[in-house]
Amino acid sequence: MWEIWVYVVGGGLLFGACIAVAAAYLLIQGKKKDQVSGKMADLELQQLGLSIRTTSDKKVSLDHGSLDGSLQGQATNSTATPRKMPFENYTMDELKKATDDFSSCNLIEGSVFHGRLNGKNLAIKRTKTETLSKIEFGLLRDATHRHHPNIVKVIGTCSADGPDSFLVFEYAKNGSLKDWLHGGKAMKSHHIASCYVFLNWNQRLRICLDVATALHYMHQIMIPSYIHGNIKSRNIFLDDEFNGKVGNFGLKRCGHDTEDQKTWSKGYLAPEYVHHGEISLSMDIFAYGVVLLEVLSGEKPITCGNKKGEEGIWLSEKIKSILESEDAEELREWMDKALGEDYSFDGAVKLAYIARACIEEEPTLRPAAGEIVEVVARLVAQLPYGEEFSVCESSSTPLVLG
């Protein structure tokens, strides 16, 4: 019996020891698991926090309303400091070399010269040294960093000791919209790539969309919004594919127009600015409406009277009387004769009504740039496939020098 009890007690102790060892093992494993789970939980929380911060730091911009999808909205980090894109600092010797010592053969118009440096075409504008301090370089630098395809890019500067300094811009191979609609010195020089004297309907419509898209970017995408303040056909430039680009971006306070140019510019001025000096986004819309009227009619913003002292005819007033008459033939007669019959009359009517909305006396009644983009983009989308980018197919008239 004694031996039996020894075996029973020994077996019990051994069994208890096994249970104790197993319990200890499970306890240790449980603690390890809790530690791993805790670390995983912390990592997940860190990742979640990073995700939340990343999401909150990003601001998604609206797309530009173009139906062809060429301008897509994209996420931009609103908290990060934009990387500053320094301008090129050109020397006077470099610019003299680029322009053949500012030869008259390289003069585009006014104080702007064509130059070529390191295989790159440039537009070089002479300006007063004192005006450089007035230029909104911060704005230009940001515009360079987030370069918009329908805004002329500023490439660099040249500060001189003398009275004149220089700004260097992206070169617009086909001059300004004014050159093509109304002729001019640039039209009669080798600086214009094409040998034809006018833009066809498809090109005109596409340029109208390009300019509206640039205004949409300035008014509704840029933070804060930017008022160009000098929209006119002279400041709309055309690249080698006749894409429209708005120029003089950021230079609105630095203009030195001649008296003739100032008279020309009056036709673009919104009434609230003329009478009360009010500056707002809608003044750009008014000027854009006048540009549309130039595109449709081929006429200048203000047509001088036949007799000396006779008051000129303003395009913004002329279109009102035409549309109020509801006479289709009167509108046909008013259209640019260079177009002949090679345009969509229905499209022209729609564009005329867009222009009419843009030149409303009351600023609040004018459409926003985004609304204009949507409507004009639909007109471009209705063009026959493959023809919206055609170049000068409507004319066979060679350029006449004189």
Side-chain angles (χ1 to χ4, degrees), residues 299 313-323 330 334:
E299 295 181 4
I313 300 173
W314 295 55
L315 274 182
S316 55
E317 295 301 321
K318 180 66 174 177
I319 192 62
K320 292 176 184 178
S321 64
I322 291 175
L323 294 180
E330 187 175 356
W334 178 75

Side-chain angles (χ1 to χ4, degrees), residues 216-394:
H216 181 213
Y217 175 79
M218 287 185 261
H219 290 183
Q220 296 172 255
I221 303 299
M222 288 187 68
I223 300 176
S225 298
Y226 178 76
I227 302 170
H228 187 283
N230 202 15
I231 295 294
K232 51 187 175 182
S233 58
R234 183 169 174 256
N235 287 335
I236 297 168
F237 299 90
L238 309 177
D239 66 13
D240 54 349
E241 295 183 352
F242 288 85
N243 296 308
K245 293 173 176 282
V246 175
N248 282 342
F249 179 84
L251 310 179
K252 63 184 177 183
R253 293 188 294 136
C254 309
H256 295 282
D257 288 347
T258 64
E259 286 303 314
D260 180 61
Q261 290 166 350
K262 288 178 180 177
T263 301
W264 176 285
S265 298
K266 287 180 182 178
Y268 299 97
L269 297 180
E272 68 272 14
Y273 177 79
V274 173
H275 301 304
H276 309 293
E278 294 180 10
I279 298 175
S280 65
L281 298 176
S282 62
M283 68 183 292
D284 282 347
I285 300 299
F286 184 96
Y288 173 78
V290 177
V291 171
L292 293 187
L293 297 178
E294 289 181 82
V295 167
L296 286 166
S297 67
E299 295 181 4
K300 300 175 182 179
I302 302 176
T303 304
C304 297
N306 296 326
K307 299 179 181 179
K308 188 176 180 180
E310 185 179 357
E311 187 176 353
I313 300 173
W314 295 55
L315 274 182
S316 55
E317 295 301 321
K318 180 66 174 177
I319 192 62
K320 292 176 184 178
S321 64
I322 291 175
L323 294 180
E324 286 172 2
S325 71
E326 299 183 353
D327 185 350
E329 289 307 313
E330 187 175 356
L331 181 60
R332 287 183 192 275
E333 182 63 25
W334 178 75
M335 291 291 293
D336 191 350
K337 300 299 184 294
L339 291 171
E341 300 295 327
D342 296 329
Y343 68 94
S344 165
F345 184 71
D346 181 59
V349 171
K350 291 178 181 177
L351 201 64
Y353 274 101
I354 295 170
R356 176 65 182 86
C358 290
I359 59 171
E360 281 285 354
E361 292 285 327
E362 175 56 48
T364 58
L365 296 179
R366 298 170 199 156
E371 296 176 87
I372 298 170
V373 170
E374 291 180 5
V375 179
V376 179
R378 285 197 289 270
L379 294 179
V380 171
Q382 292 169 5
L383 294 174
Y385 180 75
E387 292 187 12
E388 63 267 33
F389 297 106
S390 60
V391 178
C392 294
E393 63 183 17
S394 301

Side-chain angles (χ1 to χ4, degrees), residues 61-73 148-150 205-217 220-221 243 369-383 388-389:
S61 65
L62 297 173
D63 67 35
H64 292 65
S66 175
L67 298 184
D68 61 5
S70 60
L71 300 172
Q72 298 294 331
H148 192 281
N150 300 121
L205 204 55
R206 184 71 198 192
I207 292 166
C208 292
L209 176 59
D210 290 338
V211 178
T213 302
L215 286 177
H216 181 213
Y217 175 79
Q220 296 172 255
I221 303 299
N243 296 308
E371 296 176 87
I372 298 170
V373 170
E374 291 180 5
V375 179
V376 179
R378 285 197 289 270
L379 294 179
V380 171
Q382 292 169 5
L383 294 174
E388 63 267 33
F389 297 106

